[in-house]
Amino acid sequence: MNKLSRRQIITTGLAATAAASGLAVAGKLAGRYGLIPPDSGGIYGPGETLTYVAQRVLTRHTLAREFSQSQISNDPFANPVDPLGEEFQRFQSGAFVDWRLAVDGMIARPAFFSVAELKSFPARTQITMIGCEEGWTYIAEWTGVPLSHILELVGTLPQARYVVYRSIQPEAWDSIDMAEALHPQTLVSYGMNGVDLPVPFGGPLRMRIPRQLGYKNVKYITRLTITDNLKQFGKGLGSGELGAEDGYAWYAGI
Ligand SMILES: Nc1nc2c(c(=O)[nH]1)N[C@H]1C(S)=C(S)[C@@H](COP(=O)(O)O)O[C@H]1N2
Ligand SMILES: [Mo]
């Protein structure tokens, strides 16, 4: 018998198992990209590898491009929003001390976070581009808490599949799947270009999802709901009047 390397044995076994279970493509990809996880020989065997392959191959273009300080736009364009009501103005005149981000749904520990609390969590700062489907783009530096950190803090249950986020503007709500929610560049953002996120750009809190088009980046967020089903929100299309209910794609990956 030929001497097979450990990797060949694993990929051969994997291809056989994958074919038998209808997952031949994933098995072939595992071999082609050399995606053999260190624990592939463990108790979960090929199944573990297939999960890993599917995730790594599908999210191969994993990070949105990040830019340098010198590329930050001098004159970023804030897309005007409908007038912010009296309630918002009360929060604003109190310097947003009373603003809360509620987190509920399929989690172990429902929470209400103030902006100050969010600022006390591990932060990420990244210089990325935002673009509206209507044409304009700008580059800015955003600071915020990775959404993954919040999801971990509140004890997100394993069945969870989506994060729905809502704004003080009721028509402005949207949702993302867990892959996007756990992505390291997905932030609940409170800072822009070194200062508190200005109101025209969504302050005090905005979703910042650099791998998705502008409209997924909802401003003035007040609530995150973790769920396994989007049917119960609005018309069941996964986003409100800025998105799917107005004919835009729910998945706006770029
Ligand atoms: N609450 C709220 N969020 C919103 C919007 C809005 O009207 N209200 N517009 C969206 C759209 S269509 C785009 S393109 C981006 C624009 O972001 P910008 O103002 O930073 O350019 O914000 C998104 N977030
Ligand atoms: Mo937009």
Side-chain angles (χ1 to χ4, degrees):
M1 188 184 150
N2 285 338
K3 265 197 183 170
L4 293 175
S5 70
R6 179 169 167 72
R7 168 160 292 184
Q8 280 174 305
I9 291 170
I10 293 167
T11 42
T12 307
L14 182 66
T17 312
S21 59
L23 292 166
V25 172
K28 279 189 195 136
L29 289 171
R32 180 173 330 145
Y33 294 106
L35 289 167
I36 309 297
D39 57 352
S40 60
I43 55 169
Y44 298 111
E48 186 78 356
T49 302
L50 292 176
T51 303
Y52 176 73
V53 170
Q55 298 215 342
R56 280 295 170 271
V57 170
L58 290 173
T59 59
R60 221 155 12 113
H61 307 287
T62 185
L63 291 179
R65 181 171 170 200
E66 295 195 14
F67 298 81
S68 63
Q69 290 278 342
S70 65
Q71 291 170 297
I72 291 175
S73 306
N74 292 324
D75 201 8
F77 177 78
N79 194 11
V81 298
D82 288 345
L84 293 157
E86 259 176 48
E87 194 193 2
F88 184 89
Q89 274 149 26
R90 273 200 303 280
F91 284 120
Q92 187 173 14
S93 57
F96 299 115
V97 167
D98 295 325
W99 191 275
R100 291 293 178 276
L101 179 67
V103 190
D104 59 22
M106 301 182 84
I107 58 178
R109 296 174 289 279
F112 289 88
F113 297 115
S114 67
V115 178
E117 271 176 293
L118 293 171
K119 285 182 175 176
S120 76
F121 297 154
R124 180 180 171 107
T125 294
Q126 62 200 16
I127 302 173
T128 53
M129 180 182 279
I130 186 166
C132 175
E133 70 294 345
E134 289 178 36
W136 65 87
T137 62
Y138 65 87
I139 293 169
E141 180 188 79
W142 278 276
T143 299
V145 193
L147 179 57
S148 64
H149 181 78
I150 297 175
L151 296 180
E152 197 181 305
L153 266 186
V154 298
T156 298
L157 303 181
Q159 315 86 284
R161 294 185 59 196
Y162 306 99
V163 177
V164 176
Y165 39 97
R166 282 177 268 198
S167 166
I168 200 163
Q169 300 190 295
E171 72 280 10
W173 64 275
D174 215 310
S175 62
I176 46 178
D177 63 17
M178 276 295 156
E180 201 70 55
L182 296 172
H183 186 274
Q185 290 172 315
T186 297
L187 307 182
V188 170
S189 172
Y190 51 73
M192 185 176 157
N193 294 337
V195 297
D196 284 346
L197 186 63
V199 167
F201 293 97
L205 296 177
R206 169 185 210 171
M207 289 302 297
R208 186 65 194 103
I209 312 172
R211 298 198 314 174
Q212 301 260 330
L213 278 173
Y215 62 86
K216 299 292 282 189
N217 294 250
V218 171
K219 304 174 181 184
Y220 323 115
I221 56 167
T222 53
R223 183 172 294 270
L224 306 177
T225 301
I226 301 17
T227 183
D228 64 352
N229 185 342
L230 295 172
K231 291 276 170 270
Q232 58 196 304
F233 300 91
K235 296 183 180 165
L237 302 174
S239 56
E241 289 165 34
L242 299 182
E245 291 182 11
D246 194 34
Y248 293 99
W250 173 76
Y251 183 74
I254 43 178

